[in-house]
Amino acid sequence: MILDNENSNLKVYEWLTKYNEEGTLDIVTGYFTVGALAFLSKITNNKINEYRFILGDIVNFDSGKIKTLDLLNENIGIETSLKLKLLAKEAVSFLKLKHLDVKTLEPNFCHAKLYLKTAKDDDRNHYFVSGSSNLTEAGIGMKTTSNVELNIAETGNNSQYNELVNWFEELWTKPQAHKDKTLTNEAGKTYKVPIKQYLIDQISKLFVDYTPEQIFYKILFELFNKEEEDPDFKHDFGKLENTRIFEKLYPFQKAGVESLVKMLKKYNGAILADAVGLGKTWSALAVMKYFQMQG
C-alpha cells in the first residue's frame, strides 16, 4: 500500500494507530519532533515490550536543530510554549522507559526512514512502513505540509518484511551506530554522553517552571519588542551615532537612548529611571540631540 499523506489511504500516523498490536517496534528516522514522539508514546505505550530507535545526528524540537527553548529569549508565544511543555513531559516520560533503547549515527547523516513492527502472537500482524516520512508531525501526516511524502506499507511475514528486519539488525550493530553522543565543551575538548540521557536532558529544558518575576520580564519584553520598525528610523538614528555627544556614551547608554527615542516616537513620552551616577543626563542630551536634528 502507498502512504503519501495526501491520498485517500491511511496516513502514516493512522497506520501506526490501526496496526498497533502487542510486540516490538523498531524505528529509523533522520530526526523527530517532540510532538510526534509524544503521539507515539500515547498509542503504543501499553502494547510494545521493546523499542529500538536509530536517530540521525539531527534532533528537531519544532522547526530547527536541537536547542534549548528559553521562554524569556525565544520568539515563541505563550500558548505554543504551554503546549510544547506538555508534549515535552510526555516525550521525556516515554524516553525514560527501560525497554526503550536509542542509538545515533555519527558522523553519518541518516536519510533512511523505517517503522518496523514485530507482532507478538500472529505473523500476519507484522508490518513495515518505509519511505520518506521522518518521525515528525508533518512527516507522519499529523500536520499539513508542502512536503511530498511517499511510503510503502505492508503487513505480514513476507520477503520484504524479512529483508528489512535483517537490514535493521545490521544497522543496529554497525560501528557508526552509537549509544553515546559526542559533544564539545567550552575548552574545545570532546566528551561523550549516552544519547538517551542526552535527549532526556535536552527535552526536559522545554518545561522549565518560571518565577513570577521572570514572567513579568517576559511581558515587558513582549510589550516593547513588538513595535514595527520605522523604515526611516535606522537612517535617522545613524546620523545621531556620528555626533560627539553620542560617541561619548557607554554602550548601555547608547542602547537606552535608542529605546527612549523609539518610545517617544510611539507614545509621546518615556521615563528614564536609572540609578544615581549612570548617566541619565548624558542620555537625555543625546535624545534631545536626536530630535534637534529632526527639526
Side-chain angles (χ1 to χ4, degrees):
M1 177 182 290
I2 289 179
L3 306 181
D4 69 357
N5 291 349
E6 291 185 2
N7 61 25
S8 58
N9 294 331
L10 298 175
K11 294 180 173 61
V12 173
Y13 83 94
E14 293 171 327
W15 176 283
L16 298 177
T17 303
K18 180 178 180 179
Y19 295 102
N20 183 31
E21 303 294 334
E22 292 187 8
T24 65
L25 181 60
D26 299 324
I27 294 178
V28 181
T29 183
Y31 54 91
F32 69 87
T33 58
V34 171
L37 192 64
F39 165 77
L40 188 68
S41 169
K42 286 181 180 178
I43 65 168
T44 66
N45 208 354
N46 296 326
K47 293 189 175 182
I48 302 300
N49 53 46
E50 182 185 13
Y51 296 93
R52 289 185 298 177
F53 291 171
I54 297 178
L55 309 175
D57 195 29
I58 297 175
V59 179
N60 190 327
F61 277 171
D62 192 19
S63 59
K65 287 188 177 181
I66 188 168
K67 60 182 178 179
T68 302
L69 176 71
D70 184 345
L71 177 63
L72 301 183
N73 296 323
E74 290 294 330
N75 183 21
I76 183 171
I78 298 295
E79 182 178 352
T80 302
S81 177
L82 293 175
K83 180 181 179 181
L84 187 58
K85 179 177 180 178
L86 295 174
L87 293 174
K89 287 185 175 181
E90 293 174 5
V92 166
S93 297
F94 185 43
L95 287 170
K96 286 182 177 180
L97 294 175
K98 292 183 179 180
H99 55 281
L100 187 151
D101 203 359
V102 182
K103 287 188 176 182
T104 183
L105 297 179
E106 289 185 343
N108 305 77
F109 179 77
C110 179
H111 216 303
K113 292 90 181 178
L114 174 65
Y115 304 83
L116 191 65
K117 175 67 174 293
T118 301
K120 181 180 178 181
D121 298 321
D122 191 339
D123 288 356
R124 292 174 298 179
N125 292 325
H126 297 340
Y127 74 69
F128 72 84
V129 177
S130 182
S132 65
S133 290
N134 281 301
L135 183 57
T136 67
E137 290 102 318
I140 62 177
M142 294 174 65
K143 283 185 178 179
T144 303
T145 175
S146 59
N147 293 344
V148 177
E149 305 287 356
L150 178 62
N151 302 278
I152 300 295
E154 289 188 17
T155 60
N157 193 22
N158 55 39
S159 59
Q160 281 186 301
Y161 169 82
N162 288 307
E163 288 178 11
L164 287 170
V165 168
N166 293 332
W167 179 87
F168 182 89
E169 293 297 339
E170 290 179 6
L171 183 61
W172 184 260
T173 56
K174 280 186 176 180
Q176 61 263 44
H178 304 281
K179 282 199 171 186
D180 295 325
K181 180 169 179 61
T182 303
L183 301 171
T184 304
N185 62 21
E186 294 180 356
K189 294 184 178 181
T190 60
Y191 63 101
K192 295 183 181 295
V193 176
I195 180 63
K196 182 174 177 177
Q197 188 59 48
Y198 171 76
L199 294 174
I200 291 171
D201 292 342
Q202 293 298 319
I203 298 175
S204 294
K205 294 177 182 178
L206 295 173
F207 48 86
V208 173
D209 288 325
Y210 294 97
T211 66
E213 180 185 28
Q214 289 173 318
I215 294 173
F216 175 67
Y217 290 152
K218 173 64 174 176
I219 293 171
L220 293 179
F221 174 80
E222 291 296 329
L223 281 174
F224 296 112
N225 189 54
K226 292 297 184 181
E227 71 269 10
E228 294 184 7
E229 188 75 59
D230 185 341
D232 297 323
F233 177 77
K234 188 174 183 180
H235 177 264
D236 294 339
F237 199 80
K239 295 178 181 178
L240 176 68
E241 292 174 344
N242 295 322
T243 63
R244 291 180 62 191
I245 178 63
F246 194 84
E247 290 175 351
K248 290 182 177 293
L249 299 181
Y250 289 102
F252 78 91
Q253 293 171 321
K254 292 177 180 179
V257 168
E258 182 177 358
S259 181
L260 283 164
V261 170
K262 287 181 178 179
M263 290 182 192
L264 284 163
K265 289 173 71 70
K266 183 175 182 179
Y267 301 110
N268 293 321
I271 298 174
L272 174 58
D274 240 336
V276 174
L278 293 184
K280 294 186 295 296
T281 302
W282 285 90
S283 297
L285 285 170
V287 172
M288 292 168 67
K289 184 66 177 177
Y290 172 87
F291 286 103
Q292 180 193 45
M293 295 173 69
Q294 297 301 307

